[in-house]
């Protein structure tokens, strides 16, 4: 999973897609991308959608004991927004019990203890509180986050929140 900030210059989304396609040829492991704030620069949201795919999606990982669900969220603008938040709540309520583990992947961080990114470091407080409650109620195991370029690992109400940078 690539957690955003893959590009940072005009018309470079095609180069990113070429690189991940090359990696897929070399190593047959699926690569999933999350939209980051740098990927939005130069009005490249449409390029991401057209070349990479939707910015909000889910995928399953099947294994001998069952299957796990990964939910990719679009937080590149620093917020989920009402529509995406409602979708997430409905999805978890309807489908969470079908999976052994649930992992959420996002670009913007929920917990933020480093001040290097100033106010763009995490989601609005009200949205963060709603997500923390939602993740706790629906037994989310892990939330992988990018945006900040250092590693941080926190656990809150049984959910692990890990900042891993972009990949």
């Amino acid at each position: 999973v690539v957690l955003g900030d893959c590009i940072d210059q005009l018309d470079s989304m095609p180069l990113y897609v070429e690189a991940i396609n090359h990696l897929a040829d070399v190593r047959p492991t699926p690569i999933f991308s999350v939209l980051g704030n740098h990927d939005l620069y130069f009005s490249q949201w449409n390029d991401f959608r057209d070349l990479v795919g939707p910015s909000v999606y889910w995928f399953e990982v099947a294994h001998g004991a069952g299957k796990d669900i990964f939910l990719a969220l679009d937080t590149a603008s620093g917020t989920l927004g009402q529509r995406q938040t409602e979708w997430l709540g409905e999805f978890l309520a309807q489908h969470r019990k079908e999976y052994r583990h649930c992992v959420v992947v996002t670009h913007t961080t929920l917990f933020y203890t480093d001040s290097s990114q100033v106010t763009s470091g995490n989601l609005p407080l009200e949205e963060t509180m709603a997500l923390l409650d939602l993740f706790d109620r629906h037994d989310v195991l892990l939330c992988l986050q990018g945006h900040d370029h250092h590693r941080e690992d926190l656990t809150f109400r049984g959910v692990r929140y890990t900042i891993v940078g972009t990949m």
Side-chain angles (χ1 to χ4, degrees):
V1 176
V2 180
L3 297 173
D5 286 354
C6 303
I7 61 166
D8 199 2
Q9 64 186 98
L10 184 62
D11 297 326
S12 57
M13 189 62 72
L15 296 173
Y16 171 69
V17 171
E18 182 180 333
I20 62 174
N21 287 339
H22 173 72
L23 287 173
D25 291 340
V26 173
R27 184 175 175 202
T29 302
I31 297 172
F32 298 94
S33 296
V34 174
L35 187 64
N37 60 303
H38 288 252
D39 304 320
L40 292 177
Y41 294 169
F42 312 107
S43 301
Q44 295 185 113
W45 190 91
N46 289 336
D47 290 343
F48 184 92
R49 182 198 62 220
D50 295 344
L51 298 172
V52 178
S55 60
V56 179
Y57 59 93
W58 58 273
F59 61 93
E60 297 176 349
V61 175
H63 45 83
K67 58 186 176 178
D68 298 331
I69 185 83
F70 288 73
L71 302 169
L73 303 178
D74 181 348
T75 60
S77 65
T79 181
L80 262 70
Q82 182 177 352
R83 203 167 124 208
Q84 185 178 187
T85 302
E86 288 172 359
W87 169 84
L88 178 62
E90 290 170 10
F91 187 95
L92 288 169
Q94 292 175 8
H95 301 287
R96 171 61 186 99
K97 291 184 173 126
E98 301 168 21
Y99 301 94
R100 183 183 69 149
H101 295 302
C102 178
V103 177
V104 173
V105 294
T106 180
H107 178 69
T108 302
T109 59
L110 275 75
F111 288 101
Y112 187 65
T113 60
D114 179 346
S115 61
S116 67
Q117 299 282 343
V118 195
T119 57
S120 69
N122 49 343
L123 302 174
L125 182 59
E126 296 82 2
E127 200 168 76
T128 297
M129 296 306 292
L131 288 174
L132 296 176
D133 181 59
L134 194 63
F135 293 175
D136 178 43
R137 278 188 291 123
H138 293 286
D139 195 28
V140 170
L141 175 71
L142 172 66
C143 180
L144 293 174
Q145 306 156 98
H147 191 61
D148 209 8
H149 301 241
H150 75 281
R151 181 173 169 79
E152 189 165 339
D153 200 10
L154 305 166
T155 300
F156 181 73
R157 292 166 76 179
V159 181
R160 186 174 179 184
Y161 297 87
T162 304
I163 301 170
V164 294
T166 57
M167 298 183 96

